[in-house]
Amino acid sequence: MESEKKWYVIHTYSGYENKVKANLERKVHSMGMENEIFRILVPMEDEVEIKDGKKKVAKKKVFPGYVLVEMIVNDRSWYVVRNTPGVTGFVGSGTKPIPLTDSEVKHILKSMGIEEVKPRLDIAVSQPVRITSGAFENWTATVLEINHDRAKLKVLVNMFGRETPVELDFSQVEKM
């Protein structure tokens, strides 16, 4: 379920970005959709302007007319977002919204000073784990090393009677 969670861009009437964000947050809460629609952002950046010799820092919208929504797209969530006052539609082709790529999301969040939450893993070196996705799904492996910064780990998988090192994401394993 977590893997279906992606960032989408919705188009709004110009100047309605914050209203759309507030309305959508209210709707998500009142309809109990916190497990389908997660975060709603209006990307802002600081703009320094000098007026009468004084420096003034103002927040400026990075993408006027657009709001970012982290959500799982299904008929209900699509309908709720699409029918929020001020929303003119999703950015994408036709009726199917196209998610932002991970690198686009990282870049936008970083420029806003929001770092993506790194997954934590409660696993130690030499502990057995079950691989939950990928080529070795349902195999058991032994943790060789853990890289928390990259959210990756190296595990040893027993293939054909040989221990073979394999690099996996935190999201691809579970504690046994």
Side-chain angles (χ1 to χ4, degrees):
M1 200 67 168
E2 193 73 5
S3 61
E4 295 175 44
K5 183 164 85 168
K6 298 251 185 264
W7 283 94
Y8 295 89
V9 181
I10 52 176
H11 196 269
T12 68
Y13 294 127
S14 194
Y16 277 74
E17 301 87 354
N18 292 324
K19 259 190 201 104
V20 165
K21 179 183 190 294
N23 285 339
L24 195 48
E25 284 171 344
R26 237 188 332 274
K27 257 184 168 179
V28 166
H29 185 70
S30 70
M31 295 177 77
M33 296 186 72
E34 291 88 348
N35 292 333
E36 294 165 80
I37 301 173
F38 305 94
R39 290 188 282 177
I40 302 150
L41 293 178
V42 178
M44 305 285 258
E45 63 186 5
D46 290 335
E47 185 178 61
V48 178
E49 47 185 56
I50 298 169
K51 251 190 190 155
D52 304 326
K54 291 189 179 95
K55 239 187 196 181
K56 188 180 160 217
V57 178
K59 289 275 185 202
K60 178 181 154 256
K61 291 181 184 93
V62 182
F63 309 114
Y66 297 96
V67 174
L68 304 183
V69 182
E70 185 183 30
M71 63 188 284
I72 294 169
V73 173
N74 56 36
D75 290 344
R76 184 170 170 223
S77 65
W78 181 89
Y79 184 84
V80 165
V81 171
R82 189 68 191 80
N83 290 291
T84 298
V87 171
T88 57
F90 279 93
V91 172
S93 58
T95 55
K96 185 152 175 50
I98 297 171
L100 290 171
T101 64
D102 290 344
S103 63
E104 288 169 327
V105 171
K106 272 191 187 117
H107 178 76
I108 292 166
L109 293 179
K110 196 171 187 148
S111 73
M112 289 179 65
I114 302 170
E115 291 298 322
E116 194 58 31
V117 181
K118 287 195 169 80
R120 292 311 278 157
L121 197 60
D122 184 28
I123 292 178
V125 171
S126 77
Q127 203 172 9
V129 291
R130 176 177 289 106
I131 301 171
T132 57
S133 68
F136 300 101
E137 189 171 350
N138 296 324
W139 288 43
T140 55
T142 307
V143 178
L144 192 59
E145 60 186 62
I146 302 170
N147 183 334
H148 287 284
D149 295 335
R150 290 181 50 227
K152 299 237 181 233
L153 44 102
K154 203 171 268 177
V155 297
L156 288 176
V157 177
N158 193 341
M159 273 194 291
F160 312 116
R162 269 202 184 131
E163 297 274 279
T164 306
V166 176
E167 188 176 80
L168 299 168
D169 289 328
F170 282 3
S171 62
Q172 290 182 280
V173 297
E174 66 184 16
K175 200 174 182 175
M176 285 181 59

